[in-house]
């Protein structure tokens, strides 16, 4: 007898995302998986949002320092998350093929990989951060805040990478509401810690922007502890005995995860690191422009959680249907996901154009900074449609385990097209700092077209292989 759980059904120890027979059923299934993922992503992104906004109310130097630190940390954070995301399509296809007994070993190898990546991240950061910040021509106060902020964040890197694997395990089973609840529990913890450490409340020293780094690290520990307790104590996850039936490191298993995860991680790094590189170039326009640019990027990152969440949900359902050899159903889920993302992008673009003034006020009380933020947000509205096409297609391709070409397209669209166009416009025209944002728009549009062509090819190829 099946027990009903959020996001799916659990029967005899195996989660079943139900086979669907109509567009309406597919829309309901996609929505039931999607909206908790979106809320979870929004909650994680909100941690960075509150780090930035609360630091901004400490001082413009704190805002600039935390913004610079965040833009160096976020590409690494998202790239490693992309590598560890390999767990999701692997497990989704295993469930579609009814081979769920192999799932615990996949999770164990994912945790080994997470710890290795955490060690590499901390070691690389210790060697490079000071030198990298030294190339930015930052004011001494901003330099110090950014450096100490990153040092504080490092305290939470290892547990949070492990949590990514546990989250992917839970989500791939369809229980996306569980990870949503964990993230929602963590968010108020982060806000309270920010309030205490940034502003020096309840007898704690006033740490300014650096305090937000410690707040995030402590929040990462809390999230991981909650995830471990869930997979150990709560049905159906405890039935997998992830942390008791432990498997040894396996190079073939790690190689499979790296084969899928590395292209995903590098593609995501290409996307996110370009914002960090542009932040470095923005240093030539002064502290106020840096602060405004980073604040605008921070808010745009919140909006990006919509297409990104659709992408993650599509990886689950497309991977499940592909594993079950229902390729027509997988294709229909793709159409639904892209259509939903485009509709939501039109709404978010309207918000950026019509309501950028109150958004800017969230980040700063300085009138000059607020005007600059508003201008950047208007440019951001124009690349929402490209994001709405590109992100869901990336999720669909991951469901098919087709990830290498996605990396190549991300590299070309952002670094070969977008950044050079932005650099040229910013340096050789009257656009100034806004030229980089036009470069973003051009690069994203090129990437969306390339990904659409690749998806069409993969779907035709997969259909032919199945028929044979």
């Amino acid at each position: 007898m099946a027990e009903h759980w959020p996001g799916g059904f659990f029967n005899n120890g195996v989660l079943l995302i139900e086979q669907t027979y109509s567009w309406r059923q597919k829309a309901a299934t996609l929505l039931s998986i999607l909206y908790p993922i979106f809320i979870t992503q929004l909650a994680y992104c909100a941690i960075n949002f509150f780090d930035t906004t609360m630091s901004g109310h400490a001082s413009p130097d704190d805002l600039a320092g935390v913004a610079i630190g965040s833009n160096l940390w976020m590409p690494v954070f998202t790239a490693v998350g992309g590598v560890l995301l390999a767990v999701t399509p692997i497990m989704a296809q295993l469930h579609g093929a009814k081979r769920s007994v192999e799932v615990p070993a996949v999770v164990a190898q994912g945790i080994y990989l997470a710890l290795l990546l955490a060690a590499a991240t901390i070691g690389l950061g210790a060697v490079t951060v000071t030198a990298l910040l030294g190339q930015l021509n930052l004011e001494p106060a901003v330099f110090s805040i950014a450096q100490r902020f990153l040092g504080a964040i490092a305290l939470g890197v290892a547990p949070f990478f492990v949590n990514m694997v546990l989250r992917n395990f839970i989500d791939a089973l369809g229980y996306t509401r569980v990870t949503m609840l964990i993230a929602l529990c963590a968010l108020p913890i982060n806000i309270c810690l920010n309030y205490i450490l940034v502003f020096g409340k309840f007898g704690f020293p006033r740490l300014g922007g650096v305090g937000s780094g410690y707040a995030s690290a402590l929040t990462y520990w809390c999230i991981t502890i909650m995830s471990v307790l869930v997979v150990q104590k709560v049905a159906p996850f405890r039935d997998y005995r992830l942390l008791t039936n432990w498997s040894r490191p396996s190079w073939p298993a790690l190689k499979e995860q790296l084969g899928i995860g590395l292209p995903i991680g590098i593609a995501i790094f290409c996307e996110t690191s370009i914002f960090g590189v542009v932040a470095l170039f923005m240093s030539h326009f002064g502290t106020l422009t840096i602060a405004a640019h980073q604040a605008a990027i921070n808010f745009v990152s919140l909006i990006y959680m919509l297409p990104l969440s659709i992408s993650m949900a599509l990886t689950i359902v497309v991977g499940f249907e592909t594993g079950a050899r229902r390729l027509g159903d997988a294709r229909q889920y793709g159409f639904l996901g892209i259509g939903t993302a485009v509709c939501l992008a039109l709404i978010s673009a309207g918000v950026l154009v019509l309501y950028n003034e109150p958004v800017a006020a969230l980040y700063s009380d300085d009138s000059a900074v607020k005007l600059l933020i508003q201008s950047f947000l208007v440019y951001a509205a124009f690349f929402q449609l490209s994001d709405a096409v590109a992100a869901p297609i990336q999720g669909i391709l991951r469901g098919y385990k087709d990830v290498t070409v996605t990396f190549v397209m991300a590299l070309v669209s952002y670094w070969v097209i977008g950044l050079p166009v932005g650099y040229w416009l910013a340096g050789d025209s009257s656009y100034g700092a806004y030229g980089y944002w036009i470069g973003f728009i051009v690069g994203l549009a090129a990437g969306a077209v390339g990904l659409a062509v690749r998806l069409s090819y993969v779907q035709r190829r997969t259909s032919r292989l199945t028929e044979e």
Side-chain angles (χ1 to χ4, degrees), residues 377-418:
L377 289 175
V378 172
Y379 281 93
F382 290 97
F383 59 71
Q384 297 302 305
L385 282 175
S386 296
D387 270 339
V389 174
I393 292 178
Q394 288 175 338
I396 296 168
L397 290 173
R398 290 165 192 161
Y400 288 114
K401 292 186 179 179
D402 185 87
V403 292
T404 303
V405 174
T406 302
F407 147 65
V408 174
M409 289 184 178
L411 181 64
V412 171
S413 61
Y414 284 97
W415 291 91
V416 178
I417 299 174

Side-chain angles (χ1 to χ4, degrees), residues 128-281:
T128 62
V129 162
T130 301
L132 184 57
L133 291 174
Q135 300 298 314
L136 304 186
N137 299 317
L138 301 172
E139 296 177 5
V142 176
F143 178 97
S144 176
I145 292 167
Q147 184 183 45
R148 291 184 292 139
F149 171 83
L150 290 169
I153 282 282
L155 299 175
V157 165
F160 196 54
F161 286 177
V162 171
N163 175 73
M164 288 180 182
V165 177
L166 298 179
R167 178 198 169 181
N168 292 335
F169 159 69
I170 296 170
D171 283 352
L173 298 179
Y175 291 85
T176 52
R177 294 186 196 177
V178 174
T179 52
M180 176 189 74
L181 291 175
I182 292 173
L184 289 177
C185 289
L187 186 57
I189 294 174
N190 176 256
I191 295 172
C192 291
L193 289 171
N194 265 317
Y195 178 72
I196 292 170
L197 298 176
V198 171
F199 301 110
K201 302 298 181 180
F202 304 109
F204 285 85
R206 187 181 189 277
L207 299 177
V210 178
S212 67
Y214 288 111
S216 292
L218 289 170
T219 304
Y220 294 158
W221 276 98
C222 292
I223 291 171
T224 306
I225 291 170
M226 285 187 280
S227 296
V228 170
L229 290 174
V230 165
V231 300
Q232 279 287 86
K233 304 294 184 181
V234 178
F237 315 111
R238 67 185 179 199
D239 297 333
Y240 286 87
R241 299 181 180 179
L242 296 181
L243 305 181
T244 53
N245 292 337
W246 196 253
S247 59
R248 296 179 179 179
S250 167
W251 171 241
L254 286 172
K255 186 178 179 181
E256 180 188 11
Q257 291 196 19
L258 284 171
I260 297 172
L262 273 179
I264 297 174
I266 296 173
I268 293 175
F269 181 80
C270 288
E271 297 172 14
T272 55
S273 62
I274 193 171
F275 296 108
V277 171
V278 169
L280 309 187
F281 293 142

Side-chain angles (χ1 to χ4, degrees), residues 48-49 52-53 56 63-64 66-68 70-71 279 287-302 352 359-364 369-370 372-374 376-377 380 437:
N48 186 44
F49 171 80
T52 306
T53 54
L63 173 59
V66 171
I68 290 290
S70 295
N71 271 274
T287 298
L288 293 183
T289 302
I290 293 174
H293 169 79
Q294 301 304 335
I297 288 293
N298 182 260
F299 188 76
V300 170
S301 297
L302 285 174
L352 287 174
V359 170
L362 293 173
Y363 288 90
S364 179
V369 175
K370 286 193 290 186
L372 285 169
I373 294 173
Q374 289 176 240
F376 286 132
L377 289 175
W437 287 74

